[in-house]
Amino acid sequence: MEADDLALVTKAQAGDPAAFRALVVRYQRKVYAVALGIVKDSDLAWDVAQEAFVRVHGHLGAFEGKSSFSTWLFRIATHLSIDAVRRERVSQKEDVDEVRESDLTGGGEGILATTLGDDPAENVLRREMAEKIQDALATLPEKHRTILVLREVEGLSYEELAERLGIHKGTVMSRLFHARKKMQTALRGYAGRSAGDDEESAP
C-alpha cells in the first residue's frame, strides 16, 4: 500500500489530478473517522476531512516521503481536528496525575471495542453499545478523547502517538491510562460487564 501510495503521490506531484483523486477515495473515510472521533460532530468532521485534503494538495510538492503518505495525511487531519475543537469550545483543562508504571500496562486495552458476538439477534445491543461509547467519548476532555481515538481507531503505537501529538511517550501512556479509566467508568455495568472486569481481562 505504501509503495502504491508513493506512486500515486509522484503522479499527483507531476500534475495528474486522477492520481490525487485516487488518494482521496482511498483515505477519505479513514480521515473522516479520525476527525469524527475527535470533533464529535458529523458535519464538522466532513469539513475537517475536506480541509485536510485541501491542505495536503496544497503542500503536496513539499512531501518528500520521509514518512508514509498516510502518516503525513493523518497527522494533518489530527491537528486540524484538534484546532476545530478548540475553536468550537474552550478546552477543558485537566491535569494528568502521575500513575505507576505497572498501572500503565493495564488500563483496559481496546475499550472502544466490544466483545459482543456476531449473532444477528444482538444487532440492537451492538448499536446501543456503539451509542453508549460515543456518549462516553463525548464526556472526555479533548486530550483524552483524541489520544484514545488515535490509539484504538487508527491503531497508532505509543511511539507514533508521541510523534503525532508532540509529547513524550510517558505522557502518551499516562493519558491513555486516564482516558481508558474514564471510559470504563462511563461504561461500567453495561452489557453485564464492569470496569473491574475490563481491567482483569486486559492484556
Side-chain angles (χ1 to χ4, degrees), residues 153-203:
V153 175
E154 194 172 330
L156 297 187
S157 67
Y158 290 148
E159 291 76 12
E160 290 169 332
L161 285 168
E163 179 184 359
R164 177 80 64 89
L165 299 174
I167 57 180
H168 295 296
K169 181 180 177 181
T171 304
V172 166
M173 297 173 70
S174 183
R175 285 189 187 178
L176 277 171
F177 172 83
H178 287 285
R180 286 168 177 154
K181 295 296 286 186
K182 290 176 186 295
M183 284 293 290
Q184 288 170 343
T185 298
L187 295 172
R188 180 174 294 148
Y190 191 76
R193 303 204 319 159
S194 70
D197 294 333
D198 286 335
E199 290 178 33
E200 293 175 0
S201 63

Side-chain angles (χ1 to χ4, degrees), residues 1 4-5 7-9 11-12 16-29 53 57 69 73:
M1 180 68 74
D4 190 28
D5 285 351
L8 289 173
V9 169
K11 291 179 180 179
D16 184 351
F20 188 74
R21 283 198 298 272
L23 290 168
V24 172
V25 170
R26 177 172 295 173
Y27 288 110
Q28 61 184 354
R29 291 188 178 277
F53 284 110
H57 187 269
F69 173 78
L73 170 62

Side-chain angles (χ1 to χ4, degrees), residues 56-83:
V56 165
H57 187 269
H59 293 82
L60 201 59
F63 178 71
E64 300 177 348
K66 294 180 180 178
S67 63
S68 68
F69 173 78
S70 60
T71 296
W72 184 53
L73 170 62
F74 293 141
R75 183 183 299 120
I76 291 174
T78 299
H79 289 316
L80 289 175
S81 298
I82 293 172
D83 288 343

